[in-house]
Structures are given as structure tokens and as C-alpha cells.
Amino acid sequence: MRIIAVFLFISFYFYSAAQNKKDSVSVKSDAPVMMCDVKLADGTFFAGQVESENDSLLVLKTKNKGAVTLQKQKIVSSNYYFKKSKEFHQGFSIENHIANNYHVLSGNALLFSKKAFEGSSIWFVGYNFNFVFNKNFSLGISNSIALFPVFIHAKANFQIASLVHFGFEAYTGIPTPSNAQQIIGIGAIKLTIGDAKKNITGILSTGADLTAIGTGNIYIYGLAGSAVIDENLRFVGELWASKSVSTYLALAGLRTTMRPRISWVFGAGCILGSGLKTYLKAGTLPLWPYVGFSFRV
């Protein structure tokens, strides 16, 4: 009886394995398949169905690039899980998604995906355009929601540990055409802990009138985070504080990840602080809606 039971168990095991393999290629199949999210030492992400694996190699069937063979010695983190095959074919992959580099208003210090033209928009009025040269550097132009100032800016992101990234940004521009003698400068440093699926970023930013160094400098502290909810959405949030002008900003929203080249963000924000009493009697701006998007071409 023991031999029969072992035989039946082995037969059922190989039958189930063969059936799962057969069903995994069908979009309509509900059979679970082994999935894996992988991060390499250079910051690249891959997500897909596990095709094969040994002590040195991992082969993933990805949605966008087909079969990808990865050397295990270059993998710094991996996450295995089961998923229905139709969700894999119809769902989204986090690899190289434009949403990976953005929170609500700000960006994090994760490495850029590849050479590309990308950008973002706030309320369809404020725009930011970047040309990404490689995984570390980008150069671009942006404006505020008041159209001016217009800035030229540079960004640089670096990986300093498995789940730790450091970045900095520099902006310079003219506030208005009628005040072309004044030049505004903004600098920011960022530290991001985590990966594309879940991360938190600390930001220290300062702004100044470069034509009058040492006068009117503003220091701003920020904390931003992102966490994947499912294949189509991730939660994003930001907190900003500036003692220089006694003003505080809170933002929270949902960012879409349904398409790899465009990501919409919908949320709400609130500004608090005595620095706004010049404009509002209570010094508080009530909850206001936020909409924006990020794109890559």
C-alpha cells in the first residue's frame, strides 16, 4: 500500500506539473504559475514567469522582452510567488516602468531605466521635460504652475548599496521675463531606501537668489514614499516642511501603472502654516485635488 501511495503521489505530481506548464501559455487559464521579481546589482528590474532555474542561472519569461536569462551572482534581491497565468499575461510588469521614478510631485533617487525622453506634468500647466542619457544622468527644462520661473535642471542618481540610492538635482532659471537680471538657483539631495515596489525618500532642498548670495535663502525638508497596491495602482505620498517660511505641505494619492510609458496620479493635498497668513486669514489652505502624469517616449 505504501508503494502504491508513493506511486500515485509521484504520478499526480508529474501530471500537475505538466498540466500547469500547458496551462501557463494560455491567456484564459487560471492555473497558478511560479513568478519572480528580480533586482540586479546595476539597479535593473525584471519580473516574469520562471521558465527554468539552476544554481547559476534564472530564466524568466517577461511580458515585454520575452525570455531573459539572468546570472544569479548579479541578482541582489528576488521575490518568488504564485500567480494565475491570465493575470501574468494581462497584468503589468514593474520592469522599467515610468512610475518607478516618481512619487506625487517629486522624483526619487532610483536609477533611471535607459536612454529616453521623459517628463511629467502638474495640473496640465507645470511641465518637466528630461532627456535621460543613461541610468545615472538626465538634463532637462521645467516651469512652475505659474509658467515662470523657467528652469534648466540636471539630475544624477547613484546606487550605493543593494536597496540604497543617492541623488541630487540642480536648477537654475530666470523668475520672469520682466526680471531677467535675477537668477534663481535650487539644489536638492535625495536618499532613497527600497526598490521600485516599495520605497521611501528623504529630501533636503534649498533655494536662493543667485544674484544676492546669502540673502533670502529658503530651506525645505521633504519625505516621500511609494508602495505597490496591485498591478494597476500604487500609493504615493509626500510631506514637505520649510521653517524658513513657516509653511507645510502634505500630499497623498494613487499612481497608475497600467501602461509602462505613462502613469497618471490622482490625489489631494493641503498646505498649512503661518507663512500663508498673508494670503489666507486662517493660514490654512483647505483640501484641494491634485492631478498629474508622467510619461516616457
Side-chain angles (χ1 to χ4, degrees), residues 173-251:
I174 299 172
T176 63
S178 61
N179 194 9
Q181 305 253 332
Q182 186 182 22
I183 300 175
I184 300 293
I186 298 175
I189 57 175
K190 304 177 181 181
L191 183 67
T192 297
I193 299 175
D195 55 25
K197 298 186 72 174
K198 185 185 297 183
N199 61 76
I200 188 168
T201 300
I203 307 168
L204 172 60
S205 178
T206 181
D209 179 356
L210 298 183
T211 55
I213 296 295
T215 62
N217 290 11
I218 297 175
Y219 295 93
I220 303 172
Y221 308 90
L223 186 66
S226 173
V228 169
I229 298 174
D230 61 24
E231 301 142 340
N232 300 318
L233 286 175
R234 62 180 64 184
F235 171 80
V236 288
E238 298 184 15
L239 295 171
W240 294 91
S242 175
K243 290 186 177 181
S244 306
V245 291
S246 300
T247 301
Y248 307 90
L249 169 66
L251 285 162

Side-chain angles (χ1 to χ4, degrees), residues 250 268-271 284-289:
C270 183
I271 300 178
T284 302
L285 188 62
L287 201 65
W288 40 266

Side-chain angles (χ1 to χ4, degrees), residues 114-132:
K114 57 182 179 179
K115 183 183 290 186
F117 178 75
E118 60 183 43
S120 60
S121 176
I122 304 171
W123 289 308
F124 306 99
V125 180
Y127 285 91
N128 166 45
F129 302 102
N130 306 293
F131 181 79
V132 178

Side-chain angles (χ1 to χ4, degrees), residues 97-196:
H97 202 291
I98 182 62
N100 292 348
N101 294 103
Y102 291 92
H103 296 301
V104 185
L105 288 171
S106 66
N108 53 43
L110 295 179
L111 299 180
F112 304 115
S113 63
K114 57 182 179 179
K115 183 183 290 186
F117 178 75
E118 60 183 43
S120 60
S121 176
I122 304 171
W123 289 308
F124 306 99
V125 180
Y127 285 91
N128 166 45
F129 302 102
N130 306 293
F131 181 79
V132 178
F133 293 94
N134 52 44
K135 64 182 180 181
N136 299 113
F137 299 101
S138 76
L139 185 67
I141 188 170
S142 62
N143 69 284
S144 71
I145 59 175
L147 300 183
F148 291 96
V150 174
F151 293 102
I152 295 175
H153 65 255
K155 298 180 182 180
N157 293 343
F158 303 93
Q159 184 176 18
I160 57 178
S162 175
L163 295 176
V164 182
H165 293 76
F166 174 80
F168 67 87
E169 299 182 19
Y171 294 73
T172 183
I174 299 172
T176 63
S178 61
N179 194 9
Q181 305 253 332
Q182 186 182 22
I183 300 175
I184 300 293
I186 298 175
I189 57 175
K190 304 177 181 181
L191 183 67
T192 297
I193 299 175
D195 55 25

